[in-house]
Amino acid sequence: MSDVKATGAEATSVPTKVVMNQLPGAGIVGQSPLHHADLETVAKNGPKQGGVKFKEQKLMGLLTLRCNAQNPEQAAVAEKLLGVALPTTPLTSVEKGDTSVRWISPDEWLIVVPGNKAFALESAFFADMPGHYSLVNVSGGTTIYQLSGANVKDVLKKSTPVDIHDSEFPVGKVVSTVFAKSSAVIRRTGEQSFELVVRRSFADYLWLWIQDASREFGLVVEA
Amino acid sequence: MFHIYCPHCSEYREEEEFHYHGQAHIARPLDPDSCTDEEWGNYMFFRKNPKGIHHELWDHAAGCRKFFNVTRNTVTYEIKEVYKIGEQPKVVADAVPSK
Amino acid sequence: MAQKNRLQSGGRVDRTKPVSFTYNGKKYQGFAGDTLASALLANGVDLVGRSFKYSRPRGIVAAGAEEPNAIMQIGATEATQVPNVRATQQELFDGLVAGSTNGWPNVETDLMGLVGKVGGKMMPPGFYYKTFMFPQSMWETYEQFIRKAAGLGRSPKEYDPDIYDNINQHCDVMIVGAGPAGLAAALVAARGGARVIIADEQNEFGGSLLSSKETIDGKAGSAWVSEVVKELATYKDVQMLPRSTVNGYHDHNFLTIHQRCTDHIADRAPNGQVRQRMHRVRAKWVVLATGAHERPLVFGNNDVPGCMVASAVSTYINRYGVLPGNELVLMTSNDNAYRTALDWHDAGRKVVAIVDSRRNPSGDLVSAARDRGINIIAGSGVIDVHGSKRVQEVSVASLSEDGSRVTGSVQKLRADTVASSGGWSPVVHLSCHTGSRPVWKDDVIGFVPGATVQQQLIAGAISGDFTTEGALSQGIKAAQEALSKLGKSAPEMAVPKTDKVVQGKPMALFHIPHSKPTSQAPKQFVDYQNDVTAAGIELACREGFESIEHVKRYTAMGFGTDQGKLGNINGMAIAAKFLNQSIPETGTTIFRPNYTPITFGAIAGRNCGELFDPKRYTAMHKWHVEHGAKFEDVGQWKRPWYFPKPGESMHEALNRECVATRESVGILDASTLGKIDIQGKDAREFLGRVYSNAWAKLPVGKCRYGLMLKEDGMVFDDGVTSCLGDNHFLMTTTTGGAAGVLNWLELYHQTEWPELEVYFTSVTDHWATMTISGPNSRKLLEELTDADVSKENFGFMDWKPMEVAGVPARVFRISFTGELSFEINVQANYGLHVWEKLFEHGAKYNLTPYGTETMHILRAEKGFIIAGQDTDGSVHPYDLGMGWAVSMNKPFSFIGKRGMGREDCVRKDRKQLVGIKTIDPNVVLPEGAQGVFDPSAPIPMPMVGHITSSYWSANLGRSIAMGFVKGGLDKMGEKVYYPLADGRVVEAEICSPIFLDPKGERQNV
């Protein structure tokens, strides 16, 4: 398949790594982890007023990057390809255009790009990134929940042990933590808005949990 | 419920984000095959159970997924320090008056 | 309706808002602002329960959390029943239904009461130890009797319809208690810009100020409270939590608060509101301003209704406008309790006498009593009380100077209420929760919090300073200290002016002696809930229990739902006196969480029902549901178990699924398998260290099965790992082992071999995995891909990227059924699309979906193990007959190699996994059945191993099983017997576990 790339000497037999375009042609529509919940209909028929707003930002391109940001060559290439430097301060994120990068651990970042740009980014890293690194497409295994509204912090306080007070959790901060009985990568995207990156298999449980935790404030679903 | 400072995330987090992995600084023998049964048994099974200062291996399981060490007083449950893998503790049993 | 003890005015109740409630089936009325206890007292209800052992009538003793007797069953319906609620803490609401907990069958006329003392003799101190040990077989009988008679409350038999939840909180300063000390601390902390939580168990803030006549800055104390609360409400980082009991204080300043959000409004939470909420608080600093509980004195028949704690009487008068009697005798060892006599007198009823144990009481309050003409009997004590359901008369006698002996003659006084005070015990409970031992202070006559490693400060009566001025100044100081520790500047605040009251020295007295020795005197109760008497404590000491911890366990003192809040110090003092030692020599008293009983609902929060545990779903789950799958829980995953057609039994469905797969093609949703992307130049080396077999030469494009061992050599997971690129692998793990394996790899990488260049990333959820298996699987796949999947160009244990149904996929030619199989992996967002396309094309091949059960049967026909079912952490690869998956010659000593070299691991008679063929092919052995070599051996027979997997194989037309047998690998063809619980003995033959296609020809086509 033309889309399958392998590094290593051209045309020699042994590739060191493979990267592959995982998206089908335009005729085949992907189903996000909350596809079955039919949020479009819920959004259309559900309440328009409430203290908490929920939206699944679906079918994005999510990539886990592992590398050594102390390595100037890797840092430079990563910055060139992403358009922003990898954030090296713990628990921070950067965003530029349609690319955002979250610090996950000293040698791990979570990159989010539009779904159809993931393969291009993978290919670019594949071509240019020197040294020991890994870039893994995890788009199918994750989805993004956008939570906002006047009571969004109340819902988060019921769900995660992390301190989300303004003084401790400014806009842009990102934490990987416990969320209900699952986990999430939580990033503050605004005064009253947060983004949760959650695992596909837990998506339905977390959606149920968020509905429940929002009940007393009123939940508005956006599609 | 401990409040544990993750040396990688550089902030305190709740214990439920962490997993405990037992006594720290248990190095795997470099040549297991030449270990006597006793040496291997010591590596496998024998652990300290001190009253007081104890060095422990923890994992920030729900956070950065990094392992690190904790020096903890098993009587008071105070965490005296955290330090990264490969580093040595600054607080050791002899330096603390026994209770 | 008559509230005969209600005062015309005064108190914080709203007389314009009458509230009806039901107590023990009878309707009463109180007012808004009442507690159940104050309303009962207003109505002249003296009896609230029967005692645990002696079934004696009991009345309300206290006015707060320390109440031992008025323990209620609350709830208007079966579903809303709540046991063990203290009437003193339950706010009155319209329609409240309450019943006394103790007092079977009836609190007024108790059958047990008729035999009262007989009942008591059945349960002397040490009852549990002496009686229940022998004969143990009688325990159930005893337990039924005791539980019912003791009335420990009952849980609802229906689902609780209300919502309870948990919330996580963080703050700079957590203030426990909103009396004068707590409020002053909150004010300073708030003004200093701290994030503050202040919680109080009562319905409104103010603590002692709500029930006293003291002034602050020249105003009523309650007016000062209102001003403070008003100011606190203006700070956005201050949370005020009334009706919120700080129940536990745990390590590193973690506290739990039990907030009762709607318990004061209605039987059920209105409009789906949260009924109770558990706050889980992490505080940088904690200020304990928990106050003190007044100690009653211990004297003869001190449990007759009408005997109360002095300050509680004042509380009922001043806060609730209730005078709980007509004629009061106050007995005290201190000045402070004189306030109660003054309050009683000023409310217009008769104070018969103040009986003061001290010879020469003096002080402002004593003078005030004298000024009112109240009779003060100094140097004396109430040694006995007369009456059964209410106090009628008291016996007063003069005491020796130290209060240890009765010295004079007895005089009797008519009274219906005896208020007593032996001083105050600081509420040290929370500080004890973290392991800090309280210390005795002679000048306080009580325990105060001891040294602690927590970031904890104390303020007010908990410190042993029982004055309002002390509370205010300590509250200010504590908050200032916390602020400065937090690096914040602390605002100055002048201590508000309080009334100056000169008080005389209190006397350390706990137990009022009787003319007779304690053992023969009328019962002198120490712990009301467990009917522990002074005589019982002395008996325990006489029997050799000298440590207070032993005395407590022997007598059950402090083991009730009140945790001995009123009685423990008195009990220690009695033990100390008997043992002729000081209280600190006798021991200390430790309290444990929770401070007061807490509902299970609040603990569980929303982790119940649908949200009890996460349910994990694959991308094809909806299809499975729509096609009638029965599901099996595998960890948190919901996996299809089997797909019955309408009217089909499980057995029939499995037979159909198994045969269809072997005859044509079946399909399994294998998405739950753990998947780990492994990259780096040392990935191959790493695999060689964590798997028992060799990985050095696995070429790109190939897959290999591996066993993962722990250091002891025992198998803990298995799976297929594929070489994607020379430095790039995809590892699969068992469904249940996914998280554990990733953690295991990280553990070794981070702590042992950080020099190896390798990264691991979980891709379990990223790939949807569907396995088509069976002779027609290739034909089916060919219809959906352009790739060459022929035998020649896509061999067994190869993998290839290709498009399947228009979706880029990785296809692995691996097999867990022994059939020609293709494992198709696509990005999970396209999983259902591919799955449905397979069915569109698969109809002509009778494509049959199957679940975990058929998967288990098909693999068992081939003798493939399932880690976790056929292994249990005690078997190594050779035990499994899988020595082929061990490469002892690898240069690096892989994990498990040295462990397998232990002497025990090379024994010939280890239990080894073999096939088990029942002689009667129709008998399916139960999994777990234990085998024996000689079924006629005497019981207990030597057991030689158990069945791990056992199924009916439709393909073979007989039962098949795998199991462990001692030395089994060398016993092929020999007999083994399985004696079953129903008496049958199943005869079987040891065989190869590969029941079908031993040469593996079917998967190699």
Side-chain angles (χ1 to χ4, degrees):
Chain A
M1 240 166 50
S2 61
D3 269 350
V4 176
K5 302 197 176 181
T7 51
E10 283 304 314
T12 58
S13 54
V14 183
T16 56
K17 290 186 183 187
V18 294
V19 56
M20 125 183 177
N21 185 2
Q22 299 169 6
L23 297 187
I28 300 170
V29 181
Q31 299 188 343
S32 75
L34 282 193
H35 179 80
H36 64 280
D38 190 11
L39 296 182
E40 285 77 9
T41 305
V42 177
K44 201 160 25 155
N45 302 336
K48 305 287 183 284
Q49 300 284 317
V52 184
K53 293 194 174 73
F54 176 91
K55 181 181 181 183
E56 186 192 17
Q57 189 185 4
K58 52 193 181 184
L59 303 178
M60 298 296 286
L62 291 96
L63 301 142
T64 294
L65 172 66
R66 306 289 303 270
C67 70
N68 177 9
Q70 311 309 316
N71 174 335
E73 283 182 36
Q74 287 198 331
V77 171
E79 181 170 358
K80 183 189 81 183
L81 300 178
L82 294 168
V84 285
L86 291 176
T88 51
T89 304
L91 313 178
T92 58
S93 64
V94 294
E95 191 168 354
K96 191 172 177 191
D98 54 15
T99 302
S100 56
V101 185
R102 292 146 199 75
W103 185 98
I104 299 293
S105 97
D107 60 359
E108 180 174 346
W109 293 265
L110 178 64
I111 299 164
V112 177
V113 294
N116 57 10
K117 291 192 178 174
F119 180 58
L121 189 62
E122 282 182 275
S123 303
F125 266 83
F126 201 60
D128 294 350
M129 189 70 161
H132 174 45
Y133 82 97
S134 97
L135 184 68
V136 180
N137 189 330
V138 293
S139 308
T142 40
T143 192
I144 301 176
Y145 292 168
Q146 304 284 4
L147 272 180
S148 60
N151 295 107
V152 66
K153 285 200 227 167
D154 297 304
V155 171
L156 290 175
K157 282 169 76 172
K158 289 197 215 175
S159 313
T160 172
V162 164
D163 189 357
I164 48 146
H165 189 263
D166 295 353
S167 62
E168 299 288 327
F169 208 121
V171 173
K173 180 169 176 172
V174 52
V175 299
S176 304
T177 185
V178 171
F179 195 96
K181 284 189 180 174
S182 179
S183 59
V185 179
I186 304 174
R187 184 169 69 121
R188 188 161 189 181
T189 51
E191 211 44 52
Q192 290 187 341
S193 57
F194 292 81
E195 159 209 278
L196 271 55
V197 179
V198 303
R199 289 180 70 174
R200 162 179 273 280
S201 56
F202 288 99
D204 185 76
Y205 161 75
L206 290 169
W207 161 233
L208 283 180
W209 178 276
I210 289 167
Q211 290 176 69
D212 184 83
S214 306
R215 187 172 299 153
E216 62 180 304
F217 313 110
L219 178 64
V220 181
V221 174
E222 297 175 338
Chain B
M1 280 281 287
F2 296 165
H3 206 210
I4 302 173
Y5 187 86
C6 172
H8 300 284
C9 293
S10 304
E11 71 172 22
Y12 281 94
R13 293 289 183 83
E14 297 296 324
E15 184 180 334
E16 61 196 276
E17 290 189 8
F18 298 88
H19 286 165
Y20 174 59
H21 286 264
Q23 188 180 331
H25 306 296
I26 307 279
R28 187 173 197 261
L30 289 174
D31 185 4
D33 295 358
S34 67
C35 284
T36 63
D37 278 356
E38 191 178 348
E39 286 164 344
W40 188 252
N42 278 333
Y43 163 66
M44 285 290 298
F45 304 117
F46 287 85
R47 296 294 181 266
K48 289 179 185 157
N49 184 20
K51 181 177 180 182
I53 294 299
H54 190 221
H55 306 291
E56 303 171 338
L57 180 62
W58 286 75
D59 163 20
H60 193 182
C64 63
R65 300 194 300 119
K66 292 291 181 212
F67 288 78
F68 61 99
N69 299 310
V70 168
T71 302
R72 187 172 68 91
N73 185 321
T74 60
V75 178
T76 63
Y77 291 5
E78 286 169 286
I79 291 178
K80 297 291 191 183
E81 61 177 340
V82 296
Y83 54 102
K84 294 175 183 170
I85 299 299
E87 296 175 353
Q88 290 302 309
K90 294 191 180 71
V91 181
V92 292
D94 291 338
V96 175
S98 58
K99 255 180 129 179
Chain C
M1 188 173 286
Q3 295 187 37
K4 65 175 189 174
N5 288 332
R6 183 76 71 177
L7 295 169
Q8 289 305 307
S9 63
R12 303 180 67 76
V13 292
D14 186 347
R15 289 175 177 75
T16 67
K17 287 185 186 151
V19 173
S20 310
F21 68 101
T22 306
Y23 169 67
N24 280 348
K26 207 169 146 190
K27 282 227 184 291
Y28 294 92
Q29 204 170 67
F31 293 128
D34 262 327
T35 61
L36 176 56
S38 67
L40 287 171
L41 288 171
N43 283 283
V45 174
D46 289 335
L47 258 59
V48 293
R50 291 268 169 183
S51 78
F52 175 66
K53 267 163 53 177
Y54 304 109
S55 198
R56 290 165 68 111
R58 290 283 163 81
I60 294 165
V61 168
E66 68 275 31
E67 170 61 36
N69 290 338
I71 306 300
M72 298 291 161
Q73 182 86 21
I74 303 286
T77 65
E78 183 56 40
T80 53
Q81 292 296 308
V82 185
N84 288 321
V85 175
R86 291 145 307 284
T88 49
Q89 293 193 300
Q90 173 65 53
E91 290 173 62
L92 210 59
F93 60 78
D94 220 32
L96 173 71
V97 177
S100 51
T101 301
N102 291 0
W104 160 74
N106 179 307
V107 73
E108 289 290 337
T109 53
D110 190 318
L111 287 178
M112 277 191 69
L114 298 176
V115 293
K117 285 184 178 164
V118 178
K121 281 227 174 91
M122 288 174 71
M123 282 193 263
F127 177 60
Y128 290 100
Y129 294 90
K130 286 175 175 165
T131 313
F132 291 154
M133 290 300 141
F134 312 102
Q136 219 164 16
S137 57
M138 283 296 284
W139 165 246
E140 280 182 27
T141 314
Y142 289 134
E143 194 200 16
Q144 272 179 17
F145 167 74
I146 293 164
R147 276 200 180 277
K148 195 161 185 192
L152 298 173
R154 64 182 189 85
S155 48
K157 291 179 185 132
E158 293 173 8
Y159 284 106
D160 191 323
D162 285 322
I163 289 176
Y164 300 74
D165 76 9
N166 295 170
I167 193 160
N168 298 298
Q169 303 271 18
H170 303 261
C171 65
D172 294 324
V173 187
M174 167 83 229
I175 297 162
V176 186
L183 286 171
L187 202 54
V188 171
R191 287 176 182 172
R195 296 167 65 189
V196 177
I197 297 175
I198 176 168
D200 193 286
E201 61 185 358
Q202 301 212 25
N203 62 323
E204 50 180 338
F205 282 6
S208 61
L209 297 175
L210 301 177
S211 48
S212 89
K213 290 177 176 163
E214 290 176 88
T215 67
I216 296 181
D217 281 343
K219 299 174 290 242
S222 57
W224 180 82
V225 171
S226 306
E227 283 173 18
V228 174
V229 168
K230 208 170 136 193
E231 181 178 336
L232 289 175
T234 64
Y235 298 97
K236 83 171 168 49
D237 279 336
V238 173
Q239 274 193 70
M240 291 188 280
L241 299 174
R243 301 185 176 95
S244 298
T245 306
V246 179
N247 254 304
Y249 186 174
H250 306 270
D251 299 307
H252 303 181
N253 272 15
F254 184 77
L255 301 99
T256 50
I257 307 177
H258 180 210
Q259 182 184 17
R260 296 165 297 278
C261 310
T262 70
D263 283 18
H264 62 292
I265 298 173
D267 190 57
R268 269 200 67 178
N271 311 320
Q273 284 178 57
V274 172
R275 176 168 182 165
Q276 296 182 355
R277 176 167 278 168
M278 174 93 90
H279 298 253
R280 307 162 81 242
V281 182
R282 186 68 72 176
K284 293 197 174 85
W285 280 87
V286 169
V287 177
L288 295 180
T290 49
H293 289 147
E294 194 171 22
R295 282 190 302 274
L297 287 160
V298 177
F299 50 93
N301 290 316
N302 57 341
D303 66 329
V304 176
C307 291
M308 298 176 75
V309 173
S311 60
V313 173
S314 283
T315 297
Y316 287 116
I317 296 171
N318 294 330
R319 182 165 175 182
Y320 300 104
V322 173
L323 247 175
N326 291 309
E327 296 168 311
L328 174 77
V329 166
L330 170 73
M331 174 166 50
T332 180
S333 63
N334 58 74
D335 279 17
N336 193 60
Y338 277 65
R339 293 181 201 272
T340 300
L342 300 178
D343 290 337
W344 189 281
H345 177 91
D346 295 350
R349 289 195 189 167
K350 187 179 174 190
V351 177
V352 178
I354 297 174
V355 180
D356 194 321
S357 63
R358 298 169 300 177
R359 290 279 163 95
N360 296 301
S362 67
D364 292 350
L365 297 169
V366 179
S367 305
R370 290 211 173 97
D371 292 347
R372 284 166 172 80
I374 296 173
N375 177 25
I376 300 174
I377 306 173
S380 299
V382 172
I383 64 166
D384 198 358
V385 166
H386 312 280
S388 63
K389 289 182 183 171
R390 178 79 196 199
V391 174
Q392 286 171 343
E393 212 172 34
V394 299
S395 293
V396 177
S398 54
L399 306 176
S400 60
E401 188 159 8
D402 66 353
S404 66
R405 286 173 297 114
V406 171
T407 55
S409 58
V410 175
Q411 59 165 316
K412 292 197 171 178
L413 300 174
R414 249 182 64 90
D416 66 358
T417 306
V418 180
S420 76
S421 172
W424 292 75
S425 297
V427 177
V428 299
H429 299 63
L430 290 174
S431 79
C432 294
H433 288 178
T434 56
S436 161
R437 298 186 93 76
V439 292
W440 180 261
K441 287 181 84 172
D442 280 333
D443 57 334
V444 173
I445 316 176
F447 285 99
V448 298
T452 181
V453 298
Q454 307 300 316
Q455 314 295 299
Q456 171 196 304
L457 300 163
I458 60 171
I462 185 177
S463 74
D465 181 341
F466 302 120
T467 66
T468 302
E469 186 193 3
L472 294 166
S473 70
Q474 288 190 16
I476 293 167
K477 246 180 70 189
Q480 287 170 336
E481 189 179 341
L483 287 169
S484 84
K485 293 261 167 68
L486 289 162
K488 295 177 187 287
S489 64
E492 287 303 318
M493 179 175 151
V495 179
K497 285 204 171 35
T498 51
D499 306 337
K500 291 279 171 267
V501 181
V502 176
Q503 294 201 19
K505 198 171 177 293
M507 176 177 175
L509 186 66
F510 308 89
H511 176 203
I512 308 296
H514 193 268
S515 323
K516 295 179 186 167
T518 301
S519 57
Q520 292 159 34
K523 287 195 170 13
Q524 301 161 331
F525 286 94
V526 176
D527 178 328
Y528 293 95
Q529 269 208 349
N530 281 341
D531 269 356
V532 178
T533 62
I537 292 168
E538 289 190 1
L539 174 65
C541 295
R542 254 201 312 280
E543 294 200 355
F545 295 90
E546 295 185 359
S547 152
I548 193 65
E549 292 303 325
H550 292 156
V551 170
K552 281 164 71 177
R553 279 157 183 80
Y554 187 77
T555 60
M557 178 175 79
F559 281 57
T561 59
D562 64 343
Q563 282 199 31
K565 291 186 178 73
L566 287 184
N568 276 8
I569 307 293
N570 285 336
M572 287 181 65
I574 289 162
K577 187 166 85 172
F578 185 83
L579 296 166
N580 201 20
Q581 60 191 19
S582 70
I583 289 176
E585 280 169 342
T586 307
T588 182
T589 181
I590 290 285
F591 300 95
R592 294 181 177 83
N594 286 309
Y595 177 68
T596 45
I598 179 170
T599 59
F600 282 112
I603 294 170
R606 297 304 297 142
N607 296 306
C608 56
E610 272 298 291
L611 298 170
F612 174 68
D613 201 36
K615 294 185 179 76
R616 300 177 68 183
Y617 300 117
T618 73
M620 287 81 90
H621 186 78
K622 199 170 160 227
W623 190 96
H624 305 324
V625 173
E626 286 164 1
H627 290 77
K630 301 285 180 201
F631 290 91
E632 179 181 35
D633 291 340
V634 183
Q636 292 169 323
W637 288 100
K638 290 281 169 195
R639 295 196 71 177
W641 189 18
Y642 60 100
F643 289 85
K645 292 198 164 164
E648 215 174 34
S649 70
M650 180 177 179
H651 185 69
E652 289 161 350
L654 296 177
N655 288 350
R656 175 178 52 75
E657 291 172 12
C658 286
V659 170
T661 302
R662 294 229 186 271
E663 287 185 351
S664 181
V665 57
I667 183 166
L668 173 77
D669 180 354
S671 304
T672 62
L673 286 180
K675 303 171 207 79
I676 301 169
D677 181 281
I678 304 177
Q679 297 187 30
K681 75 172 170 53
D682 297 317
R684 198 178 280 281
E685 169 65 21
F686 200 96
L687 291 174
R689 295 183 184 191
V690 297
Y691 275 128
S692 62
N693 49 346
W695 295 82
K697 290 178 183 144
L698 183 70
V700 174
K702 290 299 251 181
C703 314
R704 181 168 288 168
Y705 172 83
L707 284 175
M708 218 174 267
L709 317 182
K710 288 271 162 99
E711 289 281 15
D712 60 4
M714 304 306 160
V715 173
F716 88 99
D717 207 82
D718 68 345
V720 170
T721 291
S722 307
C723 185
L724 306 181
D726 204 30
N727 299 340
H728 192 178
F729 293 81
L730 180 73
M731 174 185 281
T732 62
T733 74
T734 60
T735 296
V741 169
L742 180 61
N743 196 251
W744 179 250
L745 303 179
E746 287 287 355
L747 171 68
Y748 272 83
H749 184 224
Q750 290 182 34
T751 67
E752 293 292 346
W753 312 315
E755 71 282 3
L756 296 187
E757 287 194 350
V758 59
Y759 287 124
F760 311 98
T761 306
S762 170
V763 287
T764 299
D765 287 19
H766 176 72
W767 298 101
T769 305
M770 49 210 99
T771 307
I772 51 172
S773 197
N776 284 323
S777 58
R778 180 179 284 128
K779 277 190 216 155
L780 174 58
L781 181 59
E782 278 170 341
E783 292 194 19
L784 288 158
T785 185
D786 295 334
D788 180 354
V789 295
S790 65
K791 182 186 178 187
E792 296 70 32
N793 291 310
F794 193 30
F796 184 52
M797 299 305 272
D798 286 354
W799 80 271
K800 261 191 184 182
M802 64 183 78
E803 257 185 24
V804 178
V807 179
R810 285 179 183 158
V811 180
F812 300 82
R813 236 204 96 181
I814 56 180
S815 178
F816 197 42
T817 59
E819 296 297 324
L820 174 68
S821 289
F822 299 90
E823 192 186 282
I824 303 162
N825 286 261
V826 295
Q827 212 227 53
N829 292 330
Y830 304 95
L832 185 56
H833 167 83
V834 175
W835 181 271
E836 285 176 337
K837 286 284 170 200
L838 284 164
F839 274 93
E840 274 177 30
H841 291 258
K844 55 184 161 302
Y845 305 112
N846 184 29
L847 177 63
T848 300
Y850 65 89
T852 50
E853 194 64 22
T854 288
M855 174 189 85
H856 278 211
I857 298 169
L858 295 176
R859 64 89 203 180
E861 289 172 350
K862 287 293 299 171
F864 296 144
I865 64 155
I866 288 186
Q869 173 161 346
D870 302 299
T871 70
D872 59 3
S874 74
V875 295
H876 57 56
Y878 297 96
D879 295 333
L880 296 167
M882 294 173 76
W884 52 267
V886 181
S887 170
M888 282 296 189
N889 300 323
K890 289 193 282 186
F892 192 90
S893 183
F894 62 88
I895 297 173
K897 182 184 179 193
R898 176 61 184 86
M900 277 191 286
R902 273 192 318 133
E903 200 178 313
D904 185 63
C905 288
V906 295
R907 276 188 296 114
K908 283 277 179 243
D909 63 342
R910 284 180 67 84
K911 290 178 182 172
Q912 293 160 337
L913 191 72
V914 291
I916 302 290
K917 220 184 323 192
T918 52
I919 301 305
D920 178 347
N922 292 311
V923 175
V924 181
L925 281 162
E927 287 171 357
Q930 286 285 350
V932 300
F933 289 141
D934 177 7
S936 59
I939 293 171
M941 301 179 201
M943 292 180 283
V944 300
H946 68 283
I947 297 292
T948 58
S949 292
S950 179
Y951 310 94
W952 174 256
S953 165
N955 286 304
L956 296 162
R958 61 156 300 131
S959 71
I960 58 169
M962 294 197 283
F964 286 99
V965 174
K966 274 189 180 180
L969 291 171
D970 289 331
K971 289 187 160 48
M972 291 298 150
E974 294 183 25
K975 290 278 168 60
V976 60
Y977 302 86
Y978 294 89
L980 301 183
D982 61 11
R984 281 183 300 154
V985 176
V986 179
E987 187 181 3
E989 185 186 301
I990 298 169
C991 61
S992 158
I994 307 173
F995 292 93
L996 187 132
D997 185 25
K999 290 186 183 153
E1001 287 159 343
R1002 298 176 68 93
Q1003 65 194 9
N1004 260 324
V1005 294

